[in-house]
């Protein structure tokens, strides 16, 4: 079965960087894009972008361009999401998520989710 | 793409039906049937309930249904149950993705 297992909680100071990992299992890693979604405390879901694990190409939401970098390691089936120049507003739970592609052709977004990684930015 | 607009909260009594709206523009929601809905309980990851406006993934109760009219997509939950109390988000998935602001459903 598809599993996405994320790295543990982080506490960072403003201006620092954080790197969240998402290890995939139960399917062929390079076949499906991996997305990242974040959720600030008490707030809604915010899509950040995705990476194509096959070739490492990325697409970021405009808000995060220049400050977020997504990479992958195909040898360990792991995707990484780094946020640079952290500020207090980046305090959030960060999720990796994958779409569903059924054998009968059905497709829909965000069926599979990691457990979330809490990133706290504080002095 | 701008965030989609949802009401901050809705409420309904056990057994009743409620509808949550998700409003975009003629360029996004109005032009594509690629709208999905997610249910999120506190401390949990979201769960997809509806996709392509009105299709349900396997295992999702038929009490959940979706529709669209013009620039507004809607999620209807019939026969409200206590466990339906949660936050609900719509999402447009045309190329990039964009979520609605979320709606808190209270079951009275």
């Amino acid at each position: 079965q598809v599993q996405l297992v994320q790295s543990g909680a982080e506490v960072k100071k403003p201006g620092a960087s954080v790197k969240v990992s998402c290890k995939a299992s139960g399917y062929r890693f390079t076949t499906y894009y991996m997305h990242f979604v974040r959720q600030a405390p008490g707030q809604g879901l915010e899509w950040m972008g995705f990476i194509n694990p096959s070739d490492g190409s990325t697409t970021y939401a405009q808000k995060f361009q220049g400050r977020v970098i997504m990479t992958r390691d195909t040898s360990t089936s792991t995707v990484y999401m780094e946020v640079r120049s952290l500020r207090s507003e980046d305090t959030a739970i960060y999720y990796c998520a994958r779409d569903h592609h059924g054998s009968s052709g059905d497709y829909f977004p965000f069926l599979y989710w990691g457990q979330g990684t809490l990133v706290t930015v504080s002095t | 793409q701008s965030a989609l607009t949802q009401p901050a909260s809705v409420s309904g009594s056990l057994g009743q039906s409620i509808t949550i709206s998700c409003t975009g523009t003629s360029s996004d929601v109005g032009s594509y049937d690629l709208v999905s809905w997610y249910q999120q309980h506190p401390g949990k990851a979201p769960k997809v309930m509806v996709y392509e406006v009105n299709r349900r993934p396997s295992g999702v109760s038929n009490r959940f249904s979706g529709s669209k009219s013009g620039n507004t997509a809607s999620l209807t939950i019939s026969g409200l149950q206590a466990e339906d109390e949660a936050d609900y988000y719509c999402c447009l998935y045309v190329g990039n993705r964009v979520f609605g602001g979320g709606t808190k459903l209270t079951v009275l």
Side-chain angles (χ1 to χ4, degrees), chain B residues 4-83:
Chain B
L4 307 175
T5 301
Q6 297 181 230
S9 63
V10 298
S11 62
S13 300
L14 286 169
Q16 287 189 331
S17 295
I18 63 93
T19 297
I20 300 171
S21 61
C22 172
T23 301
T25 68
S26 57
S27 299
D28 46 50
V29 173
S31 295
Y32 302 95
D33 286 340
L34 297 178
V35 176
S36 53
W37 288 90
Y38 300 84
Q39 175 192 66
Q40 187 181 33
H41 288 109
K44 301 292 188 181
K47 174 186 176 183
V48 57
M49 308 302 285
V50 166
Y51 66 101
E52 281 184 28
V53 170
N54 58 12
R55 301 181 67 180
R56 279 187 306 276
S58 174
V60 172
S61 170
N62 59 9
R63 297 187 299 105
F64 292 83
S65 62
S67 62
K68 192 181 84 168
S69 177
N71 302 334
T72 298
S74 298
L75 175 71
T76 297
I77 308 173
S78 59
L80 273 177
Q81 300 179 0
E83 58 263 34

Side-chain angles (χ1 to χ4, degrees), chain A residues 35 37 39 43-47 50 59-62 95 99 106-111 113-115, chain B residues 36 38 40 43-48 51-52 55 57 87 89 91 93 95-101:
Chain A
H35 297 255
V37 175
Q39 186 170 34
Q43 302 301 308
L45 302 173
E46 185 174 31
W47 179 77
F50 67 85
T59 296
Y60 303 121
Q62 188 171 7
Y95 293 100
D99 296 345
D106 56 318
Y107 160 79
F108 51 88
F110 305 143
L111 174 62
W113 294 76
Q115 82 276 20
Chain B
S36 53
Y38 300 84
Q40 187 181 33
K44 301 292 188 181
K47 174 186 176 183
V48 57
Y51 66 101
E52 281 184 28
R55 301 181 67 180
D87 294 324
Y89 296 90
C91 176
Y93 52 107
N96 291 0
R97 313 281 170 91
V98 61
F99 287 98

Side-chain angles (χ1 to χ4, degrees), chain A residues 73-91:
Chain A
D73 181 344
T74 56
S75 69
T76 60
S77 299
T78 302
V79 171
Y80 298 92
M81 192 280 302
E82 180 180 18
V83 183
R84 300 178 172 178
S85 302
L86 286 165
R87 30 201 191 234
S88 58
E89 310 89 89
D90 294 318
T91 293

Side-chain angles (χ1 to χ4, degrees), chain A residues 13-108:
Chain A
K13 294 192 182 303
S17 297
V18 68
K19 197 169 189 177
V20 174
S21 67
C22 171
K23 183 174 177 59
S25 62
Y27 70 97
R28 186 174 178 181
F29 175 69
T30 53
T31 302
Y32 305 106
Y33 294 177
M34 190 72 77
H35 297 255
F36 278 86
V37 175
R38 77 176 187 180
Q39 186 170 34
Q43 302 301 308
L45 302 173
E46 185 174 31
W47 179 77
M48 300 180 69
F50 67 85
I51 182 170
N52 179 350
S54 179
D55 62 8
S57 60
T58 54
T59 296
Y60 303 121
Q62 188 171 7
K63 173 178 179 176
F64 297 105
Q65 287 179 4
R67 211 163 62 90
V68 167
I69 299 175
M70 296 178 191
T71 55
R72 94 291 191 213
D73 181 344
T74 56
S75 69
T76 60
S77 299
T78 302
V79 171
Y80 298 92
M81 192 280 302
E82 180 180 18
V83 183
R84 300 178 172 178
S85 302
L86 286 165
R87 30 201 191 234
S88 58
E89 310 89 89
D90 294 318
T91 293
I93 297 174
Y94 290 78
Y95 293 100
C96 57
R98 208 211 84 180
D99 296 345
H100 168 74
H101 298 257
S103 55
S104 57
D106 56 318
Y107 160 79
F108 51 88

